Amino acid sequence: MTIRNFAIAPALLATALVLSACSGSEAPAEHAEAPGHAAPTSSSAGLPDGNIAAGEKLASTKGEATGQSCVDCHGAEGTAPIDPTYPTIGGQYADYIGHSLQAYRNGDRQHALMSSQAKALTDQQIADLAAYFGTRDSGLVTLHGAHD
């Protein structure tokens, strides 16, 4: 072996170690996909675990601020908005819904109806709504596999 090969060997060894550490095929349990849209087990929004049944009930409950419920505007299961400018929230990522509702509640995001609707929501209610709408089958399309 030449001196040049001795200089390269530690770099190759380090690269091999890094690659072997990253090549594990096991996903962490909180990222594993369960059949049939399982409820999220953690929230990047810092929310408690959501309850799908509680979220379903809350989605149909009229808010005091506007007299409207989630499904009044976003449609049954959040998949049929009454206005084309209203988003489909059914099937959306639960964390996205959680972050959005927190932003409306905290005044970081503004909308004439949503800001007042979200203002009275607790973290648990937001988590429940996010869990419910996040598990609906909306037909939202992602770009996964678009170039296959």
Side-chain angles (χ1 to χ4, degrees), residues 36-40 42-44 47 52 74-81 85-101 104 109 114 126-144:
H37 295 331
S42 66
S43 167
S44 67
L47 295 169
I52 296 170
H74 296 283
E77 297 191 339
T79 60
T85 64
Y86 296 169
T88 295
I89 57 175
Q92 183 58 266
Y93 293 109
D95 277 350
Y96 177 78
I97 295 169
H99 280 283
S100 296
L101 288 172
Y104 285 125
R109 189 170 176 179
M114 286 303 303
I126 290 173
D128 294 344
L129 287 168
Y132 171 67
F133 285 117
T135 59
R136 302 301 89 197
D137 184 16
S138 69
L140 288 175
V141 179
T142 68
L143 296 177
H144 293 291

Side-chain angles (χ1 to χ4, degrees), residues 58-61 68-75 78 89 117 129 133:
L58 186 58
S60 298
T61 302
Q68 301 294 313
S69 71
C70 301
V71 298
D72 287 344
C73 295
H74 296 283
I89 57 175
Q117 275 293 93
L129 287 168
F133 285 117

Side-chain angles (χ1 to χ4, degrees), residues 102-124:
Q102 285 178 318
Y104 285 125
R105 179 186 66 191
N106 300 337
D108 296 330
R109 189 170 176 179
Q110 299 291 320
H111 183 270
L113 292 173
M114 286 303 303
S115 297
S116 55
Q117 275 293 93
K119 194 168 195 81
L121 294 175
T122 66
D123 280 352
Q124 185 63 60

Side-chain angles (χ1 to χ4, degrees), residues 1-10:
M1 239 188 208
T2 66
I3 294 176
R4 182 174 170 208
N5 288 346
F6 279 120
I8 295 174

